[in-house]
Amino acid sequence: MNSISELHNQAVQLINNKAFVDAHPLLVDIIKQDPKHADAYFLLGIINMEVGQPEKAVQLIGKARQLDTNSEREYLVYLIKAYSLTRNREQVAMLEKLFSQLQGQPSLLLDTVGVALSKVGLHEQAMPYYQQAIEQDASKESYHYNHGIAAKFLGQFDKARQAFEQAIHLNPRYVKAYFAMTELSDSVAPLLPKMQRLITQTHNPDEQLHLAHAIAKEYEKQGDYQQAFNILHQYKQRILNKIKYDHQAEDDLFDALYSSALSPVLQQGDTSNQPIFVVGMPRSGTTLMERILSSHSMVCSGEELHDFSITVKAHTKAASSRLLDKAVLDAAYSADFTKMGRQYLARTASLTAAHPHFVDKLPFNFLYLDLIRRALPSAKIICMLRDPLDTCIGNFRQLFSLQNPFTAYALDLERTAQYYQRFYRWVHQFDDLQHPNFKLVSYENLVTHPESHIREILDFCELPWQPACLQVENNSAPVSTASKVQVREPINTKSIGRWRRYQPHTDSLEAFFTEQGIAYGL
């Protein structure tokens, strides 16, 4: 039998090489020999974070902290990281206060805490950590990039641009910084040849996707929309052919939504009216609606919270590894909806410390409409609807993470149209249930006649009229979505009809929506 020291060294080496499956049994063997071996629990926690099981990571790293207080600094930092991956803002904020009291933190840990804070929307608190990390070690391009991302979310665009430029200077192959630059600059034409070379040299799908979107954005700025579309189509198709996109699971989920919503409501749920959910397809105006509402003195922004979906999964016994699929949804209908609602409110309690209401603006919460209705029947739900062609082109042009289980459809324009049709059918069917706290809002109507529609929306939310809701450009709250630049402008109609720039690539979509009876080109 290998000694604990030998097993530990082997496990560390395997983890460093990302051989997590091979490292796992070695660490289990260590714990069998020594049930109080703190670092074995810690390393198992690291493995669980890497394979997408942050809840287990929280438990394991918490156990390591209990067993070994001498390693408090490192264990604490990765516990903060694990909680950030579960989107638990309250725990991240509490543990960050403990970390801030420690002296002499190394740059890697400072940056890790900064990223964790940014992950849960605490961008202002993250900034000093990035700055300290860079002061200690200015040679790490990732520190500059992370600093730039937080600055961008806070609207500090010049500072963000400088950070991305420095990241590229330190590592010309740091592709994420190129994409970030294209979002902030009127043109990055000098960088275009570099990006075109890099995209042919990398075989990493994530890097290809970042570069394809960066190149497409530059083509768009030059007015060459055909080239922009072609580069996206070329690389998205390559990636789509490599990944396992489960069309059937997606279709099965929507079918389950339609049938489940018709079941009788047998429980009342928690009657709190604190949350205001803003849902809809991505690129449909959800961020604008969130900015309008959070400009009100009685409302704060929670940004894109994952707390409801995590709460639902926690209340199911489904063996599925997915956050939401038919099995999880079926299991959710057997849960205690009052407990579900209360757990969600407990997870978001910090948001209501200074405001009676908060906005939960996660677009894909539209998949949870009926569960929200049952768990939080008094919560307001606003669903944004935008012209289907603008929405589909917007989704196709949007860089989504390949790890996001809900957005694989956006790799293909025609599949995006099919997904929109599913969404459209679902939200209208839900509207037919006449839930008094659900409202469909047209993006086009909102931006064309903002004051009258904002008055109507505030009335729906039982909020008094405040003129500040018209001046979203004055809202200084951070924005960590794809609309982070646009929503700092006054409400305008500039985005209406942008899909026409991509004709004739939209011909098949126009035919599809005509056949489905869904109006477009409004």
Side-chain angles (χ1 to χ4, degrees):
M1 178 183 292
N2 290 337
S3 69
I4 286 178
S5 177
E6 290 172 331
L7 290 170
H8 184 266
N9 289 337
Q10 290 174 32
V12 169
Q13 186 174 358
L14 288 167
I15 290 171
N16 288 338
N17 292 327
K18 299 189 180 300
F20 305 121
V21 173
D22 296 328
H24 188 276
L26 303 182
L27 297 169
V28 172
D29 196 1
I30 291 173
I31 292 172
K32 286 180 180 177
Q33 294 185 50
D34 180 4
K36 294 186 177 181
H37 196 289
D39 213 52
Y41 286 102
F42 171 69
L43 293 173
L44 282 172
I46 296 296
I47 289 174
N48 275 276
M49 272 198 287
E50 293 289 342
V51 299
Q53 298 290 338
E55 293 86 0
K56 291 182 180 178
V58 165
Q59 297 173 2
L60 290 162
I61 299 173
K63 176 77 170 177
R65 287 185 72 214
Q66 292 174 3
L67 293 172
D68 184 2
T69 56
N70 293 326
S71 299
E72 170 69 0
R73 188 191 311 276
E74 187 175 16
Y75 291 176
L76 176 60
V77 166
Y78 284 92
L79 184 59
I80 293 171
K81 179 178 179 179
Y83 269 120
S84 78
L85 294 173
T86 69
R87 310 290 180 160
N88 194 322
R89 182 191 297 226
E90 193 168 7
Q91 284 293 330
V92 169
M94 182 184 73
L95 294 173
E96 181 272 331
K97 288 181 181 177
L98 294 178
F99 179 76
S100 68
Q101 297 169 14
L102 302 175
Q103 301 297 316
Q105 301 98 324
S107 60
L108 177 60
L109 298 188
L110 289 166
D111 180 71
T112 301
V113 171
V115 171
L117 290 166
S118 290
K119 191 84 172 177
V120 295
L122 299 173
H123 308 293
E124 290 185 17
Q125 294 92 320
M127 288 293 277
Y129 285 104
Y130 295 133
Q131 290 161 356
Q132 292 175 55
I134 291 169
E135 286 171 7
Q136 287 191 29
D137 186 355
S139 67
K140 293 286 195 302
E141 65 272 14
S142 60
Y143 296 174
H144 293 279
Y145 174 79
N146 294 334
H147 183 214
I149 291 294
K152 183 165 63 170
F153 291 162
L154 292 167
Q156 300 171 12
F157 298 138
D158 288 340
K159 182 180 290 186
R161 198 175 293 109
Q162 292 169 10
F164 299 140
E165 287 173 349
Q166 183 62 19
I168 292 172
H169 173 73
L170 290 168
N171 181 2
R173 298 185 65 86
Y174 199 68
V175 300
K176 292 189 292 186
Y178 288 96
F179 174 77
M181 281 286 290
T182 61
E183 286 194 302
L184 291 179
S185 304
D186 292 334
S187 175
V188 291
L191 297 177
L192 186 57
K194 293 181 182 179
M195 294 190 292
Q196 290 169 326
R197 284 196 301 274
L198 280 175
I199 201 169
T200 63
Q201 294 169 358
T202 181
H203 299 287
N204 181 304
D206 188 63
E207 290 186 353
Q208 288 180 338
L209 202 57
H210 272 81
L211 288 166
H213 277 275
I215 293 168
K217 279 185 176 292
E218 180 55 32
Y219 282 141
E220 289 175 346
K221 288 169 184 176
Q222 297 175 7
D224 194 341
Y225 297 101
Q226 298 306 307
Q227 279 279 65
F229 183 92
N230 289 338
I231 191 77
L232 288 177
H233 178 75
Q234 176 185 350
Y235 281 93
K236 287 194 169 197
Q237 283 299 310
R238 288 188 187 182
I239 293 166
L240 188 62
N241 292 335
K242 291 178 183 177
I243 69 170
K244 295 180 180 179
Y245 176 19
D246 195 339
H247 298 262
Q248 191 59 52
E250 194 174 86
D251 292 341
D252 290 346
L253 173 59
F254 274 102
D255 290 340
L257 289 175
Y258 305 144
S259 58
S260 298
L262 298 177
S263 63
V265 179
L266 301 177
Q267 302 176 41
Q268 182 179 6
D270 190 284
T271 58
S272 170
N273 68 348
Q274 292 175 331
I276 302 173
F277 290 89
V278 175
V279 306
M281 286 284 289
R283 314 304 296 145
S284 65
T286 54
T287 301
L288 174 60
M289 178 56 67
E290 179 270 333
R291 300 297 281 182
I292 289 169
L293 292 169
S294 63
S295 296
H296 198 284
S297 64
M298 297 173 64
V299 183
C300 73
S301 170
E303 297 192 66
E304 295 192 352
L305 302 177
H306 293 255
D307 295 270
F308 194 82
S309 58
I310 290 171
T311 298
V312 169
K313 186 65 185 290
H315 278 75
T316 71
K317 304 296 183 184
S320 172
S321 61
R322 293 172 177 265
L323 190 61
L324 182 66
D325 58 14
K326 184 180 184 302
V328 174
L329 185 69
D330 290 344
Y333 278 86
S334 300
D336 185 320
F337 285 108
T338 301
K339 289 182 179 178
M340 186 184 292
R342 288 175 181 169
Q343 184 174 333
Y344 168 81
L345 293 169
R347 287 181 61 99
T348 56
S350 61
L351 294 169
T352 53
H355 299 81
H357 303 282
F358 66 93
V359 180
D360 183 338
K361 194 231 72 159
L362 186 67
F364 286 101
N365 272 337
F366 71 76
L367 295 167
Y368 295 87
L369 287 176
D370 193 49
L371 296 178
I372 294 171
R373 173 178 71 129
R374 294 166 192 263
L376 295 159
S378 299
K380 304 296 183 181
I381 311 172
I382 297 171
C383 180
M384 298 300 297
L385 287 173
R386 188 180 179 188
D387 182 290
L389 289 175
D390 272 332
T391 304
C392 290
I393 285 292
N395 276 251
F396 186 70
R397 292 176 59 246
Q398 177 58 39
L399 174 63
F400 292 113
S401 169
L402 290 175
Q403 282 69 53
N404 188 327
F406 295 132
T407 55
Y409 66 81
L411 290 170
D412 180 80
L413 187 57
E414 293 191 2
R415 182 64 189 180
T416 302
Q418 295 166 14
Y419 194 93
Y420 182 96
Q421 184 269 340
R422 288 285 207 177
F423 154 80
Y424 185 89
R425 176 188 168 199
W426 160 234
V427 299
H428 280 85
Q429 178 175 317
F430 186 80
D431 191 43
D432 288 342
L433 298 175
Q434 298 183 337
H435 177 40
N437 292 318
F438 178 70
K439 183 176 182 62
L440 292 171
V441 174
S442 161
Y443 170 81
E444 287 77 15
N445 290 343
L446 174 64
V447 298
T448 303
H449 305 288
E451 182 170 346
S452 61
H453 286 281
I454 292 172
R455 285 182 180 274
E456 185 180 314
I457 289 159
L458 293 180
D459 186 58
F460 166 75
C461 293
E462 300 179 52
L463 295 168
W465 166 254
Q466 290 184 358
C469 296
L470 268 174
Q471 283 91 46
V472 295
E473 68 275 17
N474 296 330
N475 189 330
S476 60
V479 186
S480 54
T481 71
S483 305
K484 60 187 75 69
V485 177
Q486 297 96 309
V487 297
R488 297 188 186 279
E489 301 175 349
I491 298 173
N492 61 74
T493 60
K494 292 190 296 186
S495 295
I496 295 178
R498 282 187 171 172
W499 65 271
R500 298 182 188 280
R501 299 170 178 174
Y502 300 90
Q503 291 177 314
H505 301 292
T506 59
D507 288 352
S508 61
L509 272 64
E510 295 177 60
F512 174 76
F513 287 122
T514 298
E515 179 184 340
Q516 295 295 320
I518 299 176
Y520 65 88
L522 304 176

